[in-house]
Amino acid sequence: MPRHSRGFDTDAAFAHLARCDRKLGTWMKKLGPIKPDPRWRKAFDPVDALARAILYQQLSGKAAGTIVGRVEGAIGSTRFHCDTLAKVDDPGLRACGVSGNKTLALRDLAAREARGEIPDLRRMSTMDNDAIIDALTSIRGIGRWTVEMMLMFRLGRPDVLPVDDLGVRKGAQVVDKLEEMLKPKELLERGERWGPYRTYASLYLWRIADAGVKAKEPTRRSQE
């Protein structure tokens, strides 16, 4: 059974994308190389990462961090798993600031872990992207985008294109100088030429989107 390594050759990705897409390549050369993410080589716990993703959804980083800290205090651990989450009841989670929907999502995650349904890193290394997405999006509160972020930033999979991400779509709009953002299906077709390094292309599209927004910001004139 083939295994998927974590991370990829960013130099090869840069050369490939610059060669196959001149518009994107122009931006890439302007922004410079993006180095490999150090998280690609670090071990992590998928169940704990998914629990934290649930808690951080639709909240600012500061607010979510406060709630996470309260839950850690309530369970007496910094590790979110079925055994530790069992140490606090639903009212206890609500008292920490966890919403009803997120509480249900955490309970579903814990139950699936207890049944052995959540693949660990070793098992994920034998699964392709779609198989991991299918396995994890069955969890309540975990959508495709959340799993795609794990694939890109934690597992270092080279060929992920999150077509529903507004930043990626905005970046593609800037590259192609379009009046409107491409629809997800259109972006999927547009991104076919970026394979097998669509993750690396996405990293640039986020940066290009940020650069495009800054370029449109009005220059403030100093008061004389």
Side-chain angles (χ1 to χ4, degrees):
M1 185 177 295
R3 289 189 175 273
H4 297 266
S5 60
R6 293 179 60 187
F8 55 91
D9 186 339
T10 54
D11 290 337
F14 188 100
H16 172 79
L17 293 173
R19 182 173 62 252
C20 74
D21 191 326
R22 295 174 68 179
K23 291 181 180 179
L24 178 61
T26 298
W27 272 98
M28 292 170 60
K29 292 170 185 175
K30 178 181 178 181
L31 294 172
I34 297 177
K35 296 181 179 179
D37 194 316
R39 290 174 292 181
W40 292 346
R41 299 299 182 187
K42 291 182 179 179
F44 74 98
D45 185 332
V47 173
D48 182 77
L50 290 168
R52 293 175 187 278
I54 290 169
L55 291 171
Y56 268 83
Q57 287 171 359
Q58 300 176 329
L59 292 174
S60 69
K62 183 177 180 180
T66 297
I67 291 173
V68 167
R70 291 172 182 165
V71 176
E72 290 176 341
I75 66 176
S77 175
T78 58
R79 174 179 172 272
F80 294 131
H81 270 268
C82 58
D83 55 345
T84 57
L85 287 171
K87 295 179 180 180
V88 60
D89 58 14
D90 291 358
L93 285 174
R94 295 300 299 273
C96 293
V98 181
S99 70
N101 284 335
K102 290 183 180 182
T103 296
L104 290 173
L106 289 174
R107 296 307 186 200
D108 185 49
L109 172 65
R112 290 176 183 273
E113 183 207 354
R115 295 195 297 266
E117 297 176 8
I118 311 298
D120 59 15
L121 285 183
R122 180 180 292 276
R123 184 176 162 196
M124 283 184 183
S125 71
T126 67
M127 301 167 68
D128 63 23
N129 294 346
D130 288 337
I132 293 174
I133 290 170
D134 288 344
L136 300 186
T137 54
S138 63
I139 304 165
R140 184 185 180 107
I142 298 296
R144 184 182 182 91
W145 181 88
T146 297
V147 183
E148 287 173 336
M149 296 303 104
M150 177 183 288
L151 288 168
M152 295 173 70
F153 293 106
R154 305 301 294 270
L155 294 174
R157 294 293 175 93
D159 201 27
V160 180
L161 179 61
V163 296
D164 294 311
D165 187 277
L166 289 177
V168 170
R169 292 171 62 197
K170 180 63 179 178
Q173 179 187 8
V174 173
V175 167
D176 289 341
K177 299 179 180 179
L178 302 174
E179 291 295 325
E180 297 180 353
M181 287 190 290
L182 293 173
K183 294 180 173 61
K185 185 177 180 180
E186 294 171 332
L187 179 57
L188 186 63
E189 294 174 355
R190 171 71 174 86
E192 286 183 358
R193 72 179 69 181
W194 301 330
Y197 295 113
R198 291 184 293 175
T199 293
Y200 203 59
S202 299
L203 298 180
Y204 275 101
L205 293 175
W206 274 311
R207 293 195 179 190
I208 292 166
D210 290 340
V213 169
K214 291 177 181 178
K216 291 183 179 181
E217 291 178 350
T219 302
R220 295 184 178 181
R221 297 180 180 179
S222 60
Q223 296 286 338
E224 293 185 359

